[in-house]
Amino acid sequence: MNFFERMAREAGVALNEQQRRAASHIDGPLLLLASPGSGKTTTMLLRIAYLMEVKKVPAARIKAVTFSKASAEDMKARFSKLLPALAAGAPDFSTIHSLAFEIVREHFRRRGISYRIIEGRSGEEDDGRPNKSKILRELYRRANGDYPPDDRMEELTRYIGFVKNKLIPPERLPSVKCDVPKAETIYREYEHYKRTAEDGLLIDFDDMLTEADAALSAEPALLAKYQSRFDYAMTDESQDTSLVQHEIVEKLVRKHGNLWVVADDDQSIYNWRAAEPEYLLGFKEKHPQAVVMLLEQNYRSTSTIVDVANRFIKRNRERYDKNMFTGNPSGDPIAITVLPDYRYQAKYAIEKIVDEGEPGDAAILYRNNSSSILLMNALERAGIPFYMKDGDARFFSHWVVEDVLNFMRLTYNDRRADILEKIHLKFGGYISRKQMEQLLELKEDPDDSVFDRLVKHIPLRDYQGKALAACQQAFRGMQGAPPLAAIRIIRGRLGYDKAIDKSCERMGYRKETLLGILSALEEIAEPLETMEQFAARLKFLEGRMRQSRGAKQDGAVTLSTLHSAKGLEFSRVYIVDLIEGVLPSADDVRKWEKGDAGDMEEAARLFYVGMTRAKRRLELLSYASKEGEPVRLSRFVDDVRRLQPAAPRLAVEEGAKAPPVVRANPNAIRDPARLVVGAKVRHAVFGDGEIILTLGDSMDVRFREETKRLSANICVQMGLLEPMASPE
Ligand code: ATP
Ligand code: MG
């Protein structure tokens, strides 16, 4: 029996002819250019097995490089699952960064250069020493007079990474566009700062790549050492590899030329971070003896999904023309659901996931990390476990969240001038900086509210007395109010929304983002009774988010950005927030209208990556309005609708009140009065259990595995519970 037949039996994957040829290609360069789900990663894993088993190549002589930690882990997991017998002696799957770091570390050691890393976990420790973001914030302030808002800071960091990854020499800097004022100056100063710091050379993650590349050029002995470390190098997802990363890999394989590259230009989604898909076009020139192979048969998805995705991606002009096809049977049409309003989306998606069973096989994908907050909140309230690949807890420390909490704090104790100081410019009391300073200098009077003290001791303008009295009233009105009512008062009567408008104009914040944060806070606040519960809920969710980044539990729904879902597959996929302004983003559209289609095409690829993650079912979610404004369905969803004319569309009337109920479980308990201590219930996810405690909306249900605290309301609304079948 040959290797591939044995693998078909043992690993359960019978490679097709093309895949076998690619997997058994041993010497010289190969480029495998293939469609999603065509078995690129599978073929790469089997090639490793082929090298080890048939060619008796020691694992240590094989280098499989990935471009993120997550995909290195995914690859490792897939290898052990596919080839358990080889798992123990598998080669290590590592990121290009860790390889680069190894090279730089050795280079610095040889040259006696002392250095410090200023990014990532070790760089972020608050040990008083500067780290990347502190340095950049400070340099930005020096150049522009004020600290940068978060999105500027992100843009600046992206720009710096872009310049480094594209190996752009200083004289060509002016040709790189960046919306951040004085970006070029800041970049130059940043480079200077890192090279002249007191405690040795400072390096960030991008520097690891450029330094490694430079070290390999500068030190022939180092180059020779690393060149002789591996006989076979391979890279997956190479469409997203940057120039400097290609340079490093190319240098390492220059002697033997055993470079095996897997890519799909249609899934290139990191152009903004300097991916270099053009490298694939030049592969044959660089390696004239290279074998280039195409794989177009998709083994992952139903023919319904494959067919629409294949025709969808042809809207892009800049691509290798490929034709994805499949031998898989057809399946459910791609569902397109347009909800009346954004606020129904999270509940709807989760209701649907539960209704369809096996949440562990489902994934909810989104473009922006901020979409995950409400999904997580709703999942958590429904007691459904979730796994978040790339959770971003920055939401919880955003200044808007801080502001709202400070407003709430002031209602508990309106004598605290220190809290007032944090928000005095953000509501309609017109308190100037100077007045605030004067107030802070007054001796604290334990009985007087800050408002009384202002009126009594500080010279005010004519109109201010009335305004301050109104604010004091509003703060009083918030005392003891449920958090949702409090947030409404903050935004309305206290004038926080107006303050937000102004800071958008002045500081260039994106209003959409800030209003989105406020509405997420309202959604979180909605079922809660007190502001303490609200503050505690935020802390709790933040903790849950950090926690959920670990390993995936069985039965947990996956939440992920579209970017991080690359390479993965799920039985059912829901893509949310599919409106114009998100996917494509307002920026993508603006550039496209000016004739620059690059970003629009990248957005289409991102959507394509999302669609092609689904094996069996794909649902596209959108809505007609958000924050009281009408929004438009994403043009990509329109494309899908055109390509699949028979698509059943759950069109929901605009202005409809309740979220649509999805194929409700007829046995579900819909009457909260039936949820009493002692009731035996069956949960859609956790199975049979007994209610052992009820407390307001919360109830503790003991399931076989563990006891869960669930919200009675949510369980009823979503039909999560049914009476347990009697034993006979
Ligand atoms: P992506 O572009 O999304 O990274 P890919 O090209 O790497 O996809 P894989 O993830 O390797 O594709 O494979 C997709 C699915 O198809 C997997 O479930 C895999 O097991 C299956 N598969 C691959 N090749 C075959 C085959 N020859 N026969 C049956 N199933 C296959
Ligand atoms: Mg893959």
Side-chain angles (χ1 to χ4, degrees):
M1 195 179 346
N2 81 16
F3 171 80
F4 291 110
E5 282 159 17
R6 196 156 53 77
M7 281 298 135
R9 191 177 299 167
E10 285 171 17
V13 192
L15 292 196
N16 67 29
E17 198 41 49
Q18 286 284 84
Q19 291 174 324
R20 284 182 193 207
R21 279 210 306 171
S24 54
H25 175 93
I26 303 301
D27 296 316
L30 175 135
L31 170 63
L32 188 60
L33 198 63
S35 304
S38 61
K40 293 183 296 295
T41 306
T42 309
T43 305
M44 175 162 156
L45 296 174
L46 282 169
R47 179 184 188 241
I48 295 174
Y50 187 88
L51 287 171
M52 290 169 65
E53 291 245 299
V54 180
K55 297 288 161 185
K56 306 293 177 215
V57 177
R61 310 292 307 165
I62 304 171
K63 188 79 190 165
V65 193
T66 65
F67 299 95
S68 73
K69 239 186 169 151
S71 39
E73 272 153 28
D74 182 55
M75 195 84 85
K76 204 178 293 171
R78 285 182 65 172
F79 189 86
S80 331
K81 206 169 154 204
L82 198 63
L83 305 151
L86 293 178
D92 59 317
F93 300 99
S94 57
T95 61
I96 184 101
H97 270 102
S98 66
L99 177 63
F101 184 42
E102 215 181 301
I103 296 170
V104 221
R105 206 165 37 199
E106 177 150 0
H107 170 68
F108 289 156
R109 193 178 47 72
R110 287 167 176 232
R111 299 259 164 123
I113 299 171
S114 72
Y115 67 95
R116 191 164 67 79
I117 298 167
I118 52 167
E119 192 174 4
R121 205 165 281 158
S122 63
E124 274 159 25
E125 267 165 25
D126 209 6
D127 54 3
R129 294 192 290 182
N131 61 35
K132 182 176 182 179
S133 61
K134 269 198 229 161
I135 299 167
L136 284 175
R137 283 171 56 79
E138 194 49 44
L139 293 176
Y140 181 97
R141 195 192 56 82
R142 256 192 247 163
N144 293 306
D146 216 336
Y147 287 109
D150 289 353
D151 37 3
R152 281 267 164 82
M153 186 66 186
E154 256 170 49
E155 172 67 14
L156 180 63
T157 317
R158 190 201 59 77
Y159 164 78
I160 291 170
F162 189 88
V163 170
K164 295 242 145 188
N165 274 278
K166 287 240 181 246
L167 291 169
I168 291 171
E171 66 276 13
R172 271 187 31 226
L173 274 178
S175 69
V176 185
K177 267 203 294 192
C178 177
D179 294 336
V180 176
K182 308 258 173 65
E184 191 185 323
T185 314
I186 299 170
Y187 174 81
R188 288 178 195 275
E189 282 176 8
Y190 179 56
E191 291 307 295
H192 179 74
Y193 183 93
K194 286 183 296 183
R195 287 173 194 289
T196 52
E198 263 172 34
D199 44 349
L201 182 66
L202 305 181
I203 57 172
D204 64 19
F205 287 167
D206 301 315
D207 295 326
M208 281 185 197
L209 299 172
T210 48
E211 293 284 340
D213 184 48
L216 293 175
S217 298
E219 260 199 82
L222 188 72
L223 178 65
K225 177 175 169 184
Y226 277 88
Q227 280 179 335
S228 62
R229 277 267 285 277
F230 320 108
D231 301 319
Y232 299 95
M234 35 189 127
T235 66
D236 194 2
E237 305 278 3
S238 313
Q239 72 276 4
D240 286 325
T241 306
S242 70
L243 184 62
V244 64
Q245 293 172 333
H246 285 305
E247 288 292 326
I248 293 172
V249 175
E250 287 283 346
K251 287 192 173 78
L252 295 181
V253 302
R254 199 182 292 150
K255 274 222 173 101
H256 49 65
N258 294 333
L259 175 61
W260 201 91
V261 172
V262 167
D264 176 6
D265 57 314
D266 285 333
Q267 295 187 71
S268 169
I269 50 176
Y270 282 103
N271 266 325
W272 54 287
R273 244 166 51 182
E276 197 87 6
E278 299 80 10
Y279 166 86
L280 306 173
L281 295 169
F283 195 78
K284 191 83 189 163
E285 263 163 57
K286 207 164 206 155
H287 304 280
Q289 72 286 32
V291 175
V292 179
M293 289 176 63
L294 287 183
L295 295 181
E296 296 173 304
Q297 177 164 5
N298 179 303
Y299 288 94
R300 175 178 296 146
S301 315
T302 62
S303 62
T304 316
I305 296 170
V306 168
D307 176 54
V308 173
N310 181 50
R311 286 187 291 148
F312 170 83
I313 199 60
K314 288 181 191 285
R315 66 173 280 137
N316 277 2
R317 293 283 139 257
E318 276 209 43
R319 61 186 292 267
Y320 273 122
D321 195 25
K322 300 190 228 56
N323 266 306
M324 178 167 65
F325 67 95
T326 186
N328 291 347
S330 65
D332 293 343
I334 297 171
I336 298 172
T337 302
V338 183
L339 298 164
D341 189 81
Y342 164 72
R343 65 182 189 280
Y344 301 131
Q345 178 178 262
K347 265 190 210 154
Y348 172 88
I350 288 152
E351 189 172 345
K352 200 70 189 281
I353 283 178
V354 170
D355 198 55
E356 290 177 350
E358 305 192 35
D361 293 339
I364 308 181
L365 309 180
Y366 35 82
R367 181 179 207 173
N368 300 323
N369 244 313
S370 58
S371 297
S372 66
I373 305 291
L374 289 185
L375 292 165
M376 170 174 92
N377 183 52
L379 280 165
E380 211 285 321
R381 279 171 63 198
I384 298 169
F386 57 91
Y387 163 67
M388 207 180 269
K389 268 197 83 176
D390 48 358
D392 178 356
R394 275 180 303 179
F395 171 88
F396 299 99
S397 51
H398 194 282
W399 56 266
V400 169
V401 178
E402 278 303 313
D403 281 349
V404 167
L405 289 172
N406 280 324
F407 274 104
M408 292 183 172
R409 283 184 193 117
L410 204 58
T411 67
Y412 279 105
N413 179 348
D414 71 356
R415 297 179 298 277
R416 294 212 17 206
D418 57 325
I419 294 180
L420 179 70
E421 189 193 2
K422 294 190 177 139
I423 51 172
H424 72 283
L425 298 170
K426 305 192 175 186
F427 64 91
Y430 309 104
I431 304 167
S432 67
R433 277 183 218 269
K434 177 135 177 275
Q435 289 170 336
M436 192 63 227
E437 275 164 29
Q438 292 169 327
L439 179 69
L440 284 167
E441 275 163 22
L442 289 181
K443 255 190 33 203
E444 184 132 350
D445 179 340
D447 298 323
D448 255 355
S449 93
V450 281
F451 298 103
D452 292 337
R453 255 181 284 156
L454 276 166
V455 174
K456 267 193 227 162
H457 306 291
I458 312 282
L460 300 175
R461 288 168 219 273
D462 306 342
Y463 57 83
Q464 239 184 319
K466 230 176 161 181
L468 281 173
C471 290
Q472 184 168 16
Q473 274 301 317
F475 272 104
R476 292 236 165 101
M478 280 165 63
Q479 274 170 13
L484 178 58
I487 297 174
R488 298 257 159 90
I489 294 175
I490 295 168
R491 298 182 63 174
R493 272 168 66 197
L494 281 171
Y496 186 61
D497 274 7
K498 281 199 198 115
I500 289 238
D501 270 351
K502 270 202 216 117
S503 45
C504 287
E505 274 165 36
R506 246 193 21 243
M507 306 285 295
Y509 296 132
R510 280 181 56 215
K511 194 170 159 189
E512 250 171 82
T513 315
L514 305 183
L515 292 184
I517 293 174
L518 283 167
S519 78
L521 290 177
E522 291 189 351
E523 181 71 30
I524 292 168
E526 194 211 57
L528 304 176
E529 276 153 24
T530 68
M531 290 185 255
E532 283 105 330
Q533 284 174 358
F534 175 72
R537 178 82 189 156
L538 288 177
K539 270 265 150 306
F540 173 77
L541 287 174
E542 182 174 1
R544 279 293 277 119
M545 179 181 271
R546 293 185 194 282
Q547 210 184 323
S548 71
R549 281 186 284 202
K552 182 175 181 309
Q553 261 178 278
D554 277 350
V557 180
T558 299
L559 300 186
S560 169
T561 56
L562 289 160
H563 279 100
S564 298
K566 198 173 57 154
L568 304 182
E569 58 188 22
F570 307 90
S571 189
R572 294 170 356 256
V573 168
Y574 304 79
I575 309 180
V576 298
D577 288 323
L578 288 172
I579 58 169
E580 290 282 302
V582 172
L583 192 63
S585 74
D587 247 11
D588 301 337
V589 174
R590 216 169 295 133
K591 287 192 188 148
W592 176 76
E593 281 168 350
K594 283 193 199 144
D596 173 3
D599 288 359
M600 182 64 84
E601 296 211 344
E602 176 139 328
R605 290 191 295 269
L606 192 58
F607 182 71
Y608 176 74
V609 166
M611 288 204 284
T612 53
R613 299 309 95 202
K615 292 201 245 182
R616 219 163 40 69
R617 259 190 70 81
L618 173 63
E619 179 155 349
L620 309 176
L621 288 177
S622 184
Y623 32 82
S625 66
K626 184 175 180 182
E627 323 298 347
E629 303 282 339
V631 293
R632 291 226 329 268
L633 184 67
S634 159
R635 66 192 65 198
F636 301 146
V637 181
D638 258 338
D639 280 359
V640 169
R641 193 191 281 160
R642 259 196 308 278
L643 294 169
Q644 184 193 251
R649 174 168 170 248
L650 182 63
V652 182
E653 296 289 300
E654 233 169 279
K657 283 267 151 37
V661 176
V662 196
R663 265 195 290 133
N665 172 359
N667 301 323
I669 298 176
R670 296 287 175 189
D671 176 7
R674 291 175 60 189
L675 300 176
V676 292
V677 173
K680 303 235 184 338
V681 291
R682 171 165 296 164
H683 187 275
V685 180
F686 305 117
D688 292 345
E690 178 180 343
I691 301 178
I692 54 172
L693 179 76
T694 60
L695 235 180
D697 179 49
S698 301
M699 54 180 183
D700 286 1
V701 187
R702 185 162 57 217
F703 295 102
R704 207 164 311 133
E705 305 272 310
E706 57 183 325
T707 298
K708 288 259 169 202
R709 177 156 296 177
L710 306 177
S711 151
N713 251 321
I714 298 266
C715 287
V716 167
Q717 268 179 36
M718 298 191 21
L720 291 174
L721 298 174
E722 52 182 89
M724 202 166 112
S726 46
E728 63 320 7

